[in-house]
């Protein structure tokens, strides 16, 4: 079976929805994307393993290996996307639309579009033996739980030493980034008739106090912590989604809040959670409600790959840019846990990620393929 063209691959991946979300009603399988990539890479001679994610039906990683032995290069990315609002798009999110020198579609930038570019780069080496292996990783649920990356760490399936994750960096190498924590607060009060507040305990009003204390903590952390390496030099806390109540004339019995924190290198996630929990205990006692506080997933540590790592030096040479830092988090720290030195480098722009009419600029395609070929030649041939 012939491998489809670059454009056709791009379109096919966008047409395979793979939204991952903490809200179960919006969460989707990523197997459509994984199976397409396995088919195409198999045609190029890769040995493909589909790794099912424990306790996550319909979710899987793809581990595709060409060549054997230690060392070599990992090119990695995630197969999932965030949810979108199709009514706010001028183009269909679930197919490729070419306009204005751009390829539009959900995942075009962040980051399904990276995989067809990897395959395009590989076509130049179809008949050449690799001295060291090339490993393509396509992971599940980076946008929600990082369950795919966690499964990779637990499996220890390979022994490569150098990795590039194709997240959107505008083709500038990134060796340092913030961590990420995703947290949830559930408040249970008591429903009652809204005409008499004494008949219940309003969970939404208690959540109002929780939000106030979270914003106060954010201000305290931002006064205490700062790192000039980042364009956003302080830690951030984002109130992401809230759900509560069922009718205007009932006292709200339940309310849930999910939020994220982006800690700087050196900040201790357990200490941050302890600060939050101390505030929640006070509110629970004052408002006579039950409050449950738990992480949505264990969290991602900040990335800090050494400036003298071979993959950093190689990407600096190939791009002409010194390795820098970004405020967003990636799966890089998980890859570092299994012995890889990891750098973030991809063709998209983070300003396009998670936005209506997400796109990849077409003038990034050829430079990306050239960089990928340079990496393959240095670490695999």
């Amino acid at each position: 079976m012939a491998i489809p063209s670059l454009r056709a691959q791009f379109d096919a991946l966008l047409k395979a929805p793979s939204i991952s979300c903490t809200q179960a009603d919006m969460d989707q399988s990523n197997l459509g994307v994984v199976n397409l990539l396995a088919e195409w890479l198999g045609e190029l001679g890769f040995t493909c393993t589909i790794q099912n994610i424990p306790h996550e039906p319909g979710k899987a990683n793809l581990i595709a290996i060409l060549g054997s032995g230690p060392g070599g290069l990992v090119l990695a990315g995630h197969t999932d996307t965030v949810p979108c609002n199709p009514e706010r798009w001028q183009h269909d999110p679930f197919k490729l639309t070419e306009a204005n020198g751009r390829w539009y579609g959900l995942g075009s930038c962040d980051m399904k579009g990276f995989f067809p570019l990897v395959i395009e780069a590989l076509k130049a080496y179809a008949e050449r033996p690799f001295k060291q292996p090339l490993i393509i990783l396509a992971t599940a649920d980076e946008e929600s739980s990082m369950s795919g990356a966690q499964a990779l760490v637990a499996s220890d399936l390979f022994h490569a030493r150098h990795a590039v994750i194709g997240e959107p960096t505008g083709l500038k190498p990134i060796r340092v980034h913030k961590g990420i924590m995703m947290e949830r607060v559930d408040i249970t009060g008591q429903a009652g008739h809204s005409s008499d507040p004494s008949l219940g305990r309003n969970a939404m009003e208690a959540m109002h106090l929780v939000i106030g204390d979270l914003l106060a903590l954010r201000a305290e952390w931002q006064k205490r912590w700062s790192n000039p390496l980042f364009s956003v030099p302080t830690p951030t806390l984002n109130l992401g989604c809230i759900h509560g109540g069922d009718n205007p004339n009932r006292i709200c019995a339940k309310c849930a809040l999910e939020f994220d924190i982006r800690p700087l290198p050196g900040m201790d996630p357990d200490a941050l959670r302890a600060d939050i929990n101390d505030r929640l205990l006070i509110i629970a006692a004052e408002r006579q409600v039950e409050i449950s506080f738990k992480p949505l997933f264990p969290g991602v540590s900040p990335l800090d790959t050494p400036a003298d790592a071979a993959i950093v030096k190689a990407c600096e040479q190939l791009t002409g840019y010194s390795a820098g830092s970004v405020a967003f988090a990636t799966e890089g720290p998980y890859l570092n846990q299994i012995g890889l030195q990891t750098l973030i480098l991809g063709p998209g722009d983070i300003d396009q990620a998670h936005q209506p009419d997400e796109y990849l600029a077409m003038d990034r395609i050829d430079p990306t393929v050239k960089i990928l070929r340079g990496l393959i030649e240095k670490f695999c041939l």
Side-chain angles (χ1 to χ4, degrees):
M1 181 182 297
I3 300 173
S5 68
L6 169 63
R7 193 184 194 285
Q9 289 174 48
F10 208 101
D11 184 49
L13 293 178
L14 298 184
K15 285 178 176 175
S18 56
I19 290 169
S20 68
C21 184
T22 59
Q23 307 303 310
D25 60 334
M26 289 190 282
D27 195 46
Q28 297 176 332
S29 169
N30 72 325
L31 291 178
V33 176
V34 165
N35 289 333
L36 283 172
L37 293 174
E39 178 182 322
W40 299 333
L41 291 168
E43 289 292 320
L44 289 169
F46 281 76
T47 299
C48 295
T49 300
I50 294 177
Q51 179 191 37
N52 294 317
I53 308 301
H55 314 298
E56 297 286 347
K59 307 284 185 155
N61 295 328
L62 173 66
I63 303 154
I65 303 176
L66 184 64
S68 61
L73 175 68
V74 172
L75 298 175
H78 60 84
T79 59
D80 58 315
T81 71
V82 292
C84 71
N85 303 97
E87 72 280 2
R88 296 185 58 203
W89 285 59
Q90 296 182 14
H91 309 285
D92 187 340
F94 301 110
K95 71 175 185 179
L96 171 60
T97 301
E98 182 176 325
N100 310 313
R102 300 166 176 174
W103 281 359
Y104 290 91
L106 181 64
S108 57
C109 161
D110 183 22
M111 60 167 293
K112 291 179 181 179
F114 180 65
F115 294 110
L117 301 184
V118 170
I119 293 172
E120 187 69 16
L122 280 166
K123 292 177 181 178
Y125 309 106
E127 304 300 326
R128 297 179 63 178
F130 282 18
K131 295 178 181 177
Q132 293 183 301
L134 175 65
I135 301 166
I136 310 301
L137 295 183
T139 59
D141 282 352
E142 188 271 351
E143 297 287 7
S144 55
S145 67
M146 295 275 183
S147 63
Q150 293 173 57
L152 283 174
V153 171
S155 62
D156 190 22
L157 292 173
F158 45 84
H159 304 284
R161 292 291 173 264
H162 317 286
V164 170
I165 301 177
E167 292 274 15
T169 69
L171 287 183
K172 296 179 181 179
I174 300 298
R175 67 174 187 85
V176 180
H177 68 55
K178 292 181 180 181
I180 183 171
M181 303 159 57
M182 289 187 180
E183 313 295 302
R184 180 180 172 102
V185 174
D186 284 277
I187 299 181
T188 302
Q190 173 63 51
H193 199 285
S194 64
S195 64
D196 186 349
S198 69
L199 296 174
R201 297 184 299 279
N202 195 306
M204 198 177 299
E205 290 187 8
M207 189 64 80
H208 173 72
L209 298 178
V210 169
I211 290 173
D213 275 8
L214 287 175
L215 297 182
L217 275 173
R218 181 178 69 183
E220 292 175 17
W221 294 337
Q222 290 177 342
K223 288 179 181 178
R224 181 180 175 190
W225 297 91
S226 183
N227 188 324
L229 282 177
F230 297 97
S231 58
V232 180
T234 55
T236 59
L237 184 153
N238 176 66
L239 304 174
C241 60
I242 190 167
H243 304 275
D246 51 29
N247 216 52
N249 63 352
R250 263 173 43 103
I251 295 169
C252 174
K254 291 186 177 182
C255 192
L257 171 72
E258 294 180 356
F259 60 96
D260 82 355
I261 301 169
R262 309 277 175 152
L264 297 170
M267 297 179 69
D268 180 1
D270 290 337
L272 302 181
R273 290 188 177 113
D275 286 345
I276 294 170
N277 197 56
D278 287 345
R279 304 287 184 102
L280 297 181
L281 291 173
I282 294 171
I283 294 170
E286 289 179 346
R287 306 297 297 195
Q288 295 184 308
V289 294
E290 296 178 11
I291 299 183
S292 168
F293 172 48
K294 62 182 180 181
L296 292 170
F297 73 106
V300 178
S301 302
L303 177 74
D304 193 357
T305 299
D308 61 355
I311 192 66
V312 173
K313 294 298 185 184
C315 289
E316 287 179 333
Q317 183 178 14
L318 288 166
T319 63
Y321 291 101
S322 297
S325 61
V326 290
F328 60 85
T330 74
E331 295 168 316
Y334 288 102
L335 298 189
N336 282 356
Q337 283 183 45
I338 52 178
L340 293 162
Q341 291 189 315
T342 305
L343 186 118
I344 317 303
L345 176 66
D349 292 302
I350 195 62
D351 290 350
Q352 288 304 313
H354 304 189
Q355 295 287 339
D357 292 310
E358 176 186 344
Y359 67 82
L360 178 68
M362 294 174 66
D363 62 7
R364 296 280 176 82
I365 292 173
D366 288 342
T368 303
V369 171
K370 183 178 179 181
I371 290 168
L372 291 170
R373 286 177 177 163
L375 289 170
I376 291 168
E377 289 173 9
K378 179 173 180 60
F379 291 105
C380 300
L381 296 178

